Amino acid sequence: MDLGIAGRWATVCAASKGLGRACAESLAANGVNLVINARGAEALDEAARAIRAANGVEVIAVAADITTPEGRRAVLEARPDPDILVNNAGGPPPGDFRDWEEADWIAALQANMLTAIALLKAVIDPMMARGFGRIVNITSSAVKAPIAELGLSNGARSGLTGFVAGVARAVAGSGVTINNILPGRFATERLAANLAFVSRRSGRPLEEVRREAEARIPVGRFGEPREFGELCAYLCSTQAAYITAQNILIDGGAYPGTF
Ligand code: NAP
């Protein structure tokens, strides 16, 4: 399927690895030029080189912390007024809510709520003026079904979800869509770190924890980042113009509800 977005520009945050990188790769495979971002320059430059070589698109790499105003400014200035924005940042650490101080909550809100809102605010008016825009926020299945040890994520991402529900409808009709993709469990470094935390906390071998986690997923395995990236690219397509204000789970059937 031709997604109708070749030649457009996308800004993909937190994209040197994992789900953000997969989104960047799928967009590039559809001819989209990219600004990609992460804090670590080495992995980011490697990602930029690989994506350029595989797809022949332009890729601008901006090494910066997207959760800071300076980082966001650098990313936005690299190529102003993107057609597509993929909001992403590292997830907050797992833990027990009794151990979290106000500063931990502020950091989680910055990374997983306020950064996405600031970037959306910076790009949306030009998108509306041009009559085309796609904003995709990477959130988490934790928004629909909380994950006990990820309380910071459960809380901060729900805040972003509530905001998006309102603004997506307010701008609908301008050619701009805003959707959230809710990953279940995908085989990335982040997932490996979360499984290691559960293993340490429970004193059980990591392999046992991993097998048990996979067995709880009806599809019987963790998701491949590529599967996530392809969904993101589709939501950014011309064909997806009628999909907005949605929270789309991609979790191998793990969420047990009917709706
Ligand atoms: P990952 O494999 O650890 O990759 C994270 C990427 O984000 C890396 O490129 C990292 O590069 C970059 N990054 C992290 N913090 C950043 C910051 N402050 N500024 C700029 N870039 C930053 O993680 P992932 O699994 O792809 O997860 C992506 C998001 O989805 C996270 O918020 C995670 O909590 C959420 N999620 C993931 C899963 C899953 O199963 N994987 C499930 C639910 C939700 P640097 O470290 O070099 O900056």
Side-chain angles (χ1 to χ4, degrees), residues 12-22 37-44 47 62-68 71 75 87-92 111-112 115 138-142 147 150 153 157 181-194 222-223 225 228 250:
V12 186
C13 306
S16 65
K17 298 174 189 169
L19 304 181
R21 177 164 176 167
N37 150 263
R39 291 164 304 181
E42 200 178 318
L44 183 67
V62 182
D65 183 341
I66 200 66
T67 68
T68 65
V75 167
N87 274 319
N88 185 31
N112 299 118
T115 290
I138 299 179
T139 65
S140 172
S141 63
I147 300 168
L150 291 176
S153 173
R157 295 186 202 276
I181 308 183
L182 285 55
R185 304 197 120 186
F186 279 79
T188 67
E189 286 185 16
R190 160 89 179 166
L191 178 68
N194 286 345
F222 297 136
F228 188 94
I250 174 165

Side-chain angles (χ1 to χ4, degrees), residues 233-251:
Y234 178 72
L235 287 176
C236 296
S237 71
T238 51
Q239 289 91 336
Y242 206 51
I243 303 174
T244 196
Q246 299 305 303
N247 290 286
I248 299 168
L249 261 180
I250 174 165
D251 69 349

